[in-house]
């Protein structure tokens, strides 16, 4: 193989490696996007579980009060327990959703960073391949000047 063929082959390999690196970063970005979606879904599921728990707790409070012959009026002690359980459940649900969105945001930022890193890897590989060609040309031109 001649010098030019080796330079071309080397440049081709560098471009191929850069493309593979970009693809690897793109896969990382896709994984991060999927994790973001899973975080949101998980948070929604946990919030729904907390809502079911709230309903069961209120039902239990009302059943207990009814079994004792106590009225579950809004102004009484039982009403106060129900309002307190509603307040705590709402706070818990909001925290769960906030944590899920926070994780999703972190994964989203990771996806963007991976995508940018992939672009950088491709640009680096292309510039390296062109740089190698330029170095070869400069060395070749320098050799012609020394002979003259």
């Amino acid at each position: 193989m001649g010098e030019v063929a080796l330079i071309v082959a080397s440049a081709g390999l560098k471009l191929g490696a850069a493309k593979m690196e970009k693809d690897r970063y793109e896969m990382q970005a896709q994984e991060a996007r999927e994790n973001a979606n899973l975080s949101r879904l998980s948070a929604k599921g946990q919030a729904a579980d907390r809502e079911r728990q709230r309903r069961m707790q209120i039902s239990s409070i009302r059943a207990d009060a009814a079994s004792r012959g106590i009225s579950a009026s809004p102004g009484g002690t039982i009403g106060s327990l129900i309002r307190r359980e509603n307040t705590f459940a709402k706070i818990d649900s909001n925290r769960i959703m906030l944590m899920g969105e926070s994780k999703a945001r972190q994964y989203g930022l990771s996806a963007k960073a991976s995508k940018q890193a992939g672009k950088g890897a491709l640009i680096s590989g292309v510039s390296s391949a062109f740089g190698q060609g330029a170095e070869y040309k400069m060395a070749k031109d320098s050799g012609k000047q020394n002979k003259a």
Side-chain angles (χ1 to χ4, degrees):
M1 265 183 134
E3 275 183 62
V4 174
L6 286 174
I7 297 295
V8 170
S10 177
L13 289 173
K14 285 184 179 188
L15 290 173
K19 174 72 169 104
M20 288 173 63
E21 187 75 5
K22 180 183 182 286
D23 291 345
R24 183 177 68 83
Y25 281 117
E26 185 55 41
M27 285 189 281
Q28 285 179 348
Q30 181 61 33
E31 179 184 18
R33 286 190 292 271
E34 289 171 3
N35 283 337
N37 289 335
L38 285 175
S39 293
R40 286 187 185 98
L41 289 173
S42 176
K44 286 179 183 177
Q46 289 174 357
D49 288 345
R50 181 59 178 104
E51 176 61 19
R52 276 193 285 299
Q53 181 186 14
R54 180 192 69 85
R55 287 181 182 164
M56 287 178 16
Q57 185 70 23
I58 289 173
S59 179
S60 176
I61 291 170
R62 286 188 172 142
D64 184 55
S67 72
R68 295 177 189 206
I70 302 172
S71 171
S73 64
T77 305
I78 301 302
S80 177
L81 287 173
I82 290 171
R83 282 191 304 278
R84 196 174 92 196
E85 178 59 29
N86 284 335
T87 300
F88 288 154
K90 185 175 183 174
I91 290 169
D92 287 347
S93 290
N94 287 341
R95 284 182 181 161
I96 290 167
M97 293 303 289
L98 180 63
M99 293 290 283
E101 280 302 315
S102 176
K103 278 185 174 180
R105 183 176 182 277
Q106 288 172 350
Y107 284 124
L109 291 173
S110 176
K112 287 179 182 178
S114 289
K115 190 166 181 151
Q116 287 300 107
K119 287 179 182 179
L122 186 62
I123 289 169
S124 175
V126 169
S127 66
S128 176
F130 280 123
Q132 186 176 9
E135 286 175 10
Y136 173 75
K137 182 169 180 1
M138 288 181 354
K140 196 82 160 160
D141 290 347
S142 175
K144 286 181 183 177
Q145 288 176 357
N146 288 341
K147 289 181 182 177

